[in-house]
């Protein structure tokens, strides 16, 4: 027998022996185990020991503090907080020649313990008892905040509420409820009717990104109290009455307890029939003769009073000075509208004032309860409400507009005046400097992310191409050997070709087995590559949306475009979602066979972090 035939015989015998050994002896261990942090991981590795007493059981793993009893086949590992993630353990059966005859692999996934969200109320001083006591007629501003230890992002917690165990009851009287992410804002002025009902329940339900749920009940007790009436409108300290002109003073009130109100006026004269009606409107009209007859009484002081009909101890009272004027008409505010302004802007709004006796320059103007950036300015006989450029520290992070109720008063040199309330609403503005920084930062983050992502796609693509080339080579070998074996009958007896036919048939079987089993993860690689390409397309598409806006610097007016602002916010959310998806794909990548081999190799060198997709951290 020639040397070539001997070599083929030995090769086929070796491969056949190993395949038979692997098929005959089965090493069993769990494919996947999951455990929580702090738990022990215990399992047995089994094989037919009685029939294979000459075989030796060994293991290999990157888990440093795990223990394995090779005699009993028992694996044990006590986990801690540093072990969260996926770990691999490999087991081998070796013969007396230290050759591997069977292998098994176990994946161990260590999960963190999940905790339910917590719900806290501010101010917490009201929670000193089982019932949160609220006084009727008082305004309360309460805030409820839900947090979770399962995430550092407050947007991962969602808060909802139920009033009085009724899912159809969205609100109650005298209460405004706003939900902003993980916070609930409650502004409530309990009414007399609510005080009679006495008890109210508010259930808060918090759900975090792990679907952990917490439900907390807050119980309110409304305490009834007697409150004095309150003026509906501002009442000046002095008014001017002119002959043959009716003077009206609105002294109407609100009663928190809805008790009936009795109005009265204390005035030292009765000419002109001074009176106050049941609606709280004081009226007085004097003719020129009547005013002349009581001229010595001016300046005249009157006392206006509103009291509860059933309890005179609850009242509101104000002393007003009335001046007389034979020809002076008090100034009049003819037009004063509410103001609405946005952060980052300034404002100039004209006030229209009429005075028949004095030029505008002789009048004085005052504001009460005004914000520091609001002021009055006269320009060329006109009066304007002016503001400086509003900063970006007015509106809170929840974006709810801030309102100021301001009293504007105009007074002439004789002391006559007119007043009106108006509202200044400040809406959330666009901080162009901050938005520009975010825009540049997101673009840089995206560029760095795309570089790393394309590198990873290229690696997977190269792996697929390499497998395809290997597969074609094995298919060709299988075809060649099969043909060679099938044509054996055409060779003459006792020739080398005829004698080689059995060995070619054996090699054909071995080659076919390798061809069938060597690429069992090719589908996973192709699938992973495709999903990475989908993420890449999504990132490129989102980036192209931002690139449609031409922004020169932080002062570019295009930054005030509400569509661009929404684009930037949506882009930020998309980056967060893509980061989560890429971390999930990274776990699948590290589970591939050829990557596992890299992990073991890099573990030995202490450079396993080099295999991490660090480009994800650029987001």
């Amino acid at each position: 027998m020639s040397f070539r035939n001997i070599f083929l015989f030995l090769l086929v015998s070796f491969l056949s022996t190993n395949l038979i050994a692997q098929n005959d002896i089965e090493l069993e261990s769990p494919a996947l185990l999951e455990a929580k942090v702090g738990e022990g991981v215990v399992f047995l590795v089994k094989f037919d020991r009685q029939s294979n007493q000459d075989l030796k059981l060994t293991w290999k793993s990157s888990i440093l503090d795990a223990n394995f009893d090779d005699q009993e086949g028992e694996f044990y590992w006590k986990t801690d907080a540093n072990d969260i993630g996926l770990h691999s353990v490999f087991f081998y059966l070796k013969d007396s020649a230290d050759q591997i005859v069977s292998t098994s692999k176990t994946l161990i996934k260590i999960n963190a313990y999940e905790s339910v969200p917590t719900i806290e109320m501010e101010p917490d001083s009201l929670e000193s008892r089982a019932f949160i006591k609220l006084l009727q007629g008082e305004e309360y501003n309460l805030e409820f905040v839900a947090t979770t230890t399962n995430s550092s992002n407050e947007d991962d917690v969602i808060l909802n509420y139920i009033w009085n165990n009724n899912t159809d009851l969205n609100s109650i009287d005298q209460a405004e409820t706003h939900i902003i992410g993980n916070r609930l804002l409650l502004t409530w002025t309990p009414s007399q009717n609510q005080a009679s009902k006495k008890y109210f329940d508010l259930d808060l339900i918090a759900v975090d990104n792990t679907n952990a749920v917490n439900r907390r009940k807050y119980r309110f007790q409304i305490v009834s109290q007697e409150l004095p009436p309150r003026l509906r409108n501002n009442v000046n300290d002095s008014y001017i009455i002119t002959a043959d002109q009716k003077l009206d003073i609105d002294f109407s009130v609100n009663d928190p307890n809805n008790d009936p109100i009795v109005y009265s006026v204390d005035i030292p004269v009765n000419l002109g029939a001074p009176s106050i009606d049941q609606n709280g409107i004081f009226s007085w009209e004097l003719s020129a003769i009547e005013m002349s007859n009581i001229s010595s009484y001016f300046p005249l002081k009157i006392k206006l009073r509103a009291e509860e009909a059933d309890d005179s101890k609850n009242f509101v009272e104000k002393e007003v000075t009335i001046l007389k004027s034979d020809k002076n008409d008090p100034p009049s505010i003819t037009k004063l509208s509410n103001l609405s302004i946005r952060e980052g802007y300034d404002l100039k709004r004209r006030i229209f004032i009429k005075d028949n006796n004095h030029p505008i320059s002789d009048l004085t103007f005052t504001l009460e309860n005004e914000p520091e950036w609001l002021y009055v300015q006269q320009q060329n006989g006109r009066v304007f409400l002016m503001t400086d450029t509003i900063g970006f520290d007015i509106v809170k992070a929840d974006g709810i507009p801030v309102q100021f109720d301001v009293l504007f008063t105009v007074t002439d040199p004789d002391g006559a005046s007119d007043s009106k309330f108006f509202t200044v609403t400040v809406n959330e503005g666009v901080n162009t400097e901050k938005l520009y920084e975010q825009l540049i930062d997101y673009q840089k983050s995206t560029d760095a992310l795309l570089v790393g992502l394309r590198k990873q796609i290229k690696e997977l693509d190269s792996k697929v191409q390499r497998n395809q080339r290997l597969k074609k080579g094995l298919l060709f070998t299988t075809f060649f050997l099969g043909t060679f074996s099938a044509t054996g009958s055409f060779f003459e007896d006792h020739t080398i070709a005829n004698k080689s036919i059995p060995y070619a048939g054996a090699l054909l079987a071995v080659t076919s087995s390798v061809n069938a089993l060597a690429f069992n993860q090719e589908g996973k690689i192709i699938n992973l590559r495709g999903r990475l390409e989908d993420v890449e397309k999504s990132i490129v598409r989102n980036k192209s949306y931002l690139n449609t806006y031409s922004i020169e610097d932080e002062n570019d007016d295009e930054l005030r475009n509400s569509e661009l602002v929404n684009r930037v916010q949506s882009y930020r959310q998309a980056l967060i979602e893509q980061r989560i998806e890429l971390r999930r794909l990274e776990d699948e990548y590290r589970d591939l066979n050829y990557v596992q081999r890299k992990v073991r190799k890099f573990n030995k060198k202490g450079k396993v972090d080099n295999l991490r997709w660090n480009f994800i951290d650029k987001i």
Side-chain angles (χ1 to χ4, degrees):
M1 183 181 295
S2 67
F3 176 79
R4 180 177 180 180
N5 289 340
I6 294 173
F7 173 76
L8 288 172
F9 175 77
L10 293 174
L11 176 60
V12 172
S13 299
F14 175 77
L15 292 174
S16 300
T17 301
N18 278 276
L19 287 172
I20 292 171
Q22 292 183 21
N23 291 333
D24 288 344
I25 303 174
E26 184 175 358
L27 186 62
E28 297 181 5
S29 69
L32 174 65
L33 288 176
E34 292 194 39
K36 299 288 187 181
V37 168
E39 296 179 348
V41 179
V42 183
F43 62 87
L44 289 176
V45 182
K46 302 177 182 180
F47 70 99
D48 188 356
R49 289 180 178 271
Q50 188 173 0
S51 303
N52 301 278
Q53 296 182 3
D54 57 334
L55 297 181
K56 180 175 62 175
L57 179 59
T58 63
W59 72 297
K60 184 178 181 182
S61 176
S62 60
I63 305 174
L64 300 179
D65 52 352
N67 296 290
F68 182 65
D69 186 342
D70 55 4
Q71 298 300 317
E72 300 295 332
E74 182 181 72
F75 176 89
Y76 176 74
W77 177 29
K78 177 67 174 179
T79 62
D80 58 33
N82 297 321
D83 298 322
I84 296 175
L86 196 63
H87 307 268
S88 301
V89 186
F90 299 88
F91 301 97
Y92 309 94
L93 273 179
K94 296 184 179 180
D95 58 17
S96 57
D98 205 32
Q99 296 296 315
I100 298 174
V101 298
S102 184
T103 64
S104 180
K105 174 185 175 183
T106 297
L107 291 177
I108 304 173
K109 185 176 181 182
I110 306 302
N111 300 311
Y113 271 108
E114 296 177 353
S115 61
V116 298
T118 59
I119 304 174
E120 302 294 339
M121 185 185 81
E122 298 177 4
D124 55 8
S125 58
L126 293 174
E127 278 195 278
S128 58
R129 299 179 181 177
F131 291 92
I132 301 172
K133 292 191 175 184
L134 304 182
L135 297 176
Q136 170 210 347
E138 300 292 336
E139 181 179 296
Y140 294 89
N141 294 292
L142 306 178
E143 182 174 357
F144 303 87
V145 182
T147 57
T148 179
T149 58
N150 297 325
S151 173
S152 59
N153 187 354
E154 66 177 20
D155 294 335
D156 288 338
V157 187
I158 299 175
L159 192 61
N160 209 334
Y161 67 95
I162 299 174
W163 277 109
N164 293 341
N165 299 316
N166 185 352
T167 57
D168 296 327
L169 187 61
N170 296 323
S171 63
I172 60 174
D173 293 339
Q174 307 298 317
E176 293 184 6
T177 307
H178 300 280
I179 288 184
I180 304 165
N182 66 324
R183 295 190 300 152
L184 182 144
L185 306 178
L186 173 62
T187 301
W188 190 4
T189 305
S191 66
Q192 185 180 26
N193 289 335
Q194 291 171 338
S196 63
K197 291 181 181 179
K198 198 170 185 179
Y199 296 108
F200 290 83
D201 290 340
L202 176 63
D203 286 277
L204 297 184
I205 301 99
V207 184
D208 68 13
N209 59 322
T210 67
N211 290 326
V213 181
N214 186 20
R215 180 167 182 165
R216 183 170 180 182
K217 182 184 291 291
Y218 290 89
R219 309 204 68 184
F220 296 93
Q221 179 182 354
I222 310 303
V223 180
S224 177
Q225 65 172 349
E226 285 295 328
L227 298 173
R230 297 175 181 176
L231 288 172
R232 295 179 186 270
N233 305 298
N234 181 68
V235 177
N236 297 332
D237 292 331
S238 63
Y239 292 87
I240 295 179
I241 186 170
T242 303
D244 299 318
Q245 293 185 11
K246 188 177 181 180
L247 171 65
D248 287 333
I249 301 176
D250 186 352
F251 194 69
S252 59
V253 298
N254 283 321
D255 189 84
N257 304 102
N258 295 321
D259 293 325
I261 299 297
V262 175
Y263 295 96
S264 62
V265 58
D266 183 6
I267 184 169
V269 296
N270 56 17
L271 285 179
S275 65
I276 186 167
D277 64 20
Q278 62 181 4
N279 295 318
I281 305 299
F282 170 77
S283 301
W284 193 18
E285 185 174 356
L286 292 170
S287 65
I289 297 175
E290 290 174 328
M291 183 175 289
S292 176
N293 292 335
I294 60 171
S295 177
S296 60
Y297 284 87
F298 291 97
L300 181 145
K301 294 186 182 296
I302 67 172
K303 187 175 291 184
L304 300 171
R305 182 184 177 94
E307 62 183 37
E308 294 181 1
D310 299 328
D311 188 356
S312 61
K313 294 179 181 179
N314 293 321
F315 67 92
V316 60
E317 190 175 70
K318 184 175 181 66
E319 187 176 73
V320 174
T321 300
I322 299 180
L323 307 173
K324 73 178 182 70
S325 173
D326 296 327
K327 52 184 177 181
N328 181 54
D329 294 328
S332 174
I333 303 170
T334 59
K335 183 178 180 181
L336 174 58
S337 58
N338 294 329
L339 305 181
S340 180
I341 188 171
R342 189 175 296 277
E343 289 177 320
Y345 291 84
D346 55 13
L347 180 71
K348 183 178 181 180
R349 184 72 57 82
R350 185 179 177 185
I351 307 172
F352 291 86
I353 298 171
K354 178 182 178 182
D355 192 300
N356 296 327
N357 308 107
H358 307 92
I360 296 295
S361 58
D362 289 344
L363 304 178
T364 58
F365 310 96
T366 59
L367 295 174
E368 294 182 28
N369 196 41
E370 80 281 10
E372 60 183 10
W373 34 263
L374 181 68
Y375 56 92
V376 180
Q377 185 168 315
Q378 298 185 47
Q379 295 179 356
N380 301 322
R382 296 179 177 181
V383 182
F384 295 92
L385 281 172
M386 309 277 288
T387 73
D388 300 325
T389 300
I390 305 298
F392 293 95
D393 54 351
I394 307 295
V395 180
K396 298 180 180 178
D398 51 33
I400 298 176
V402 178
Q403 289 189 336
F404 301 89
D405 293 322
V406 184
L407 176 66
F408 175 78
T409 302
V410 54
T411 307
D412 67 12
D414 297 319
S417 64
D418 188 18
S419 299
K420 282 190 177 180
F421 276 104
F422 66 96
T423 301
V424 181
T425 303
V426 181
N427 298 284
E428 187 176 27
V430 178
N431 190 334
T432 57
E433 183 176 346
K434 181 178 179 181
L435 182 63
Y436 181 75
E437 291 177 358
Q438 289 178 336
L439 186 61
I440 298 301
D441 181 60
Y442 292 159
Q443 289 176 336
K444 290 180 180 179
S445 299
T446 301
D447 292 340
L449 178 62
L450 287 174
V451 170
L453 186 57
R454 287 167 181 163
K455 179 180 177 182
Q456 208 59 53
I457 293 173
K458 185 177 180 181
E459 176 190 324
L460 294 173
D461 188 64
S462 299
K463 191 66 179 177
V464 172
Q465 297 300 326
R466 179 175 177 275
N467 284 357
Q468 293 292 340
R469 291 193 299 271
L470 288 174
K471 185 183 290 186
K472 289 179 181 178
L474 288 173
L475 287 173
F476 174 77
T477 303
T478 303
F479 172 77
F480 172 75
L481 291 175
T483 304
F484 182 67
S485 177
T487 56
S489 60
F490 293 96
F491 295 100
E492 295 180 4
D493 294 340
H494 306 296
T495 62
I496 293 175
N498 184 275
K499 295 178 180 179
S500 298
I501 296 306
Y503 309 125
L507 283 175
L508 173 61
V510 174
T511 305
S512 300
S513 299
V514 174
N515 188 19
L517 299 174
F519 305 100
N520 60 340
Q521 285 201 324
E522 182 176 342
K524 292 183 179 180
I525 297 175
I526 293 174
N527 178 269
L528 182 58
R529 180 191 64 183
R531 290 159 68 189
L532 287 176
E533 288 174 343
D534 290 341
V535 174
E536 179 191 27
K537 291 176 183 177
S538 176
I539 294 173
V540 171
R541 181 174 63 252
N542 291 337
K543 181 183 177 184
S544 67
Y545 291 153
L546 292 183
N547 289 339
T548 58
Y549 300 93
S550 179
I551 308 299
E552 296 182 359
D553 53 38
E554 62 272 14
N555 298 316
D556 198 314
D557 288 339
E558 186 68 20
L559 291 170
R560 302 184 187 275
N561 186 336
S562 60
E563 181 179 303
L564 172 59
V565 175
N566 293 334
R567 287 280 191 196
V568 174
Q569 292 175 345
S570 300
Y571 193 77
R572 173 181 177 273
Q573 182 62 32
L575 285 177
I576 294 173
E577 294 173 356
Q578 288 155 357
R579 176 180 183 143
I580 295 173
E581 176 65 13
L582 287 173
R583 285 300 183 201
R584 186 182 299 114
L585 295 178
E586 182 187 18
D587 290 341
E588 296 183 20
Y589 167 80
R590 292 174 68 89
D591 195 38
L592 296 174
N593 288 342
Y594 85 92
V595 179
Q596 286 292 320
R597 291 194 293 271
K598 286 184 179 182
V599 171
R600 293 193 295 271
K601 180 180 178 181
F602 277 69
N603 266 331
K604 293 179 181 179
K605 298 180 180 181
K607 299 180 179 179
V608 70
D609 285 341
N610 293 351
L611 293 177
R612 285 182 54 82
W613 290 1
N614 294 325
F615 60 88
I616 302 178
D617 298 330
K618 302 296 182 182
I619 298 178

